[in-house]
Amino acid sequence: MTYLSTKKIYPGNWVEALNGWYKNIDTTGGTTVDASKDGPTAVLAVPGWRYFQQRGYVPVTWASGAATTYGQAMSVIIPSPYRQDDTRPDITGMVISGSATQAAYVYRSAISIASGWGDNRVASGVYASTGNVIAFGRDNSGSPVAASGEPIAAAFLTSTTSGTSATTVYFAGGSQGFGSVPLFTSAATQINAASGLVNSGLVHKQLTTGTTFKVYAKGTSDATSVSGGVYISDSDVSAGLSGYILVEICYIVPDNAPDYADIEAYLPNRTIS
């Protein structure tokens, strides 16, 4: 589900992390959904550019026997900030609504395993098949994409810690992974010698259509199909705990062109009849 409009704030009102939650609504009194309410929130941190920060999570509540059923391609939940309002529930599905005229440009991606605060809600970590990675990135018609092809918009976790058996690995709470950083630091290593262009790892990922991001269990970071699956231990399942895979995607979008509301107060010869 893509969002149809955004909530824009200015730096003076920016006092906490930006929120990716929204609710699509009808503004004309009919039945056509034509806008989004309450977000996602963007800050006009630099004149002309809206900055977005979407955070979400994947709850892992199953044991190894269900890993291939639930733990291979996982949708991200965007939590609602309105925890006491049943009419504004969480959103399942992390989407960036880029367009051909106002593309979105991703500059950060990150993934981690929640550690919990000893509050008896969070599993100690999650498990996967030996050699597998837990990846966060763009969905390609139900399949993951290779991280090396768009490294700024893809983050992944690796582990060599033995799991519950010789064929599993353990991702402890607090584990984290990041996409590439789009900053230029060295011509020797960051310029393609053949083309003379900046390598792809330094270029923002452009999105010109509504694009979904998911979490995947894969054989390698560059695999374009799922493999194995993530899960939590039997003891954590029995205790009613959940593992949480946390993700973040940050991007910028050109602000709208100025409209009449932005300038009408400064125009001369205003007549009120």
Side-chain angles (χ1 to χ4, degrees), residues 191-270:
I191 294 292
N192 185 296
S195 66
L197 301 176
V198 177
N199 290 329
S200 62
L202 295 176
V203 179
H204 293 61
K205 174 62 180 177
Q206 183 187 56
L207 303 174
T208 57
T209 188
T211 304
T212 299
F213 283 74
K214 290 184 177 181
V215 174
Y216 302 92
K218 306 198 297 182
T220 66
S221 61
D222 278 344
T224 55
S225 61
V226 295
S227 176
V230 301
Y231 61 95
I232 58 176
S233 67
D234 291 343
S235 60
D236 282 342
V237 172
S238 298
L241 305 181
S242 298
Y244 290 97
I245 303 171
L246 314 178
V247 296
E248 178 180 277
I249 193 84
C250 298
Y251 54 100
I252 56 176
V253 176
D255 194 18
N256 295 341
D259 61 20
Y260 187 62
D262 297 311
I263 200 69
E264 64 86 18
Y266 307 99
L267 297 178
N269 304 319
R270 183 180 184 187

Side-chain angles (χ1 to χ4, degrees), residues 106-109 150-154 179-182 200-205:
V106 177
Y107 65 89
R108 168 180 160 88
S109 59
E150 41 198 67
I152 290 174
S180 295
V181 178
S200 62
L202 295 176
V203 179
H204 293 61
K205 174 62 180 177

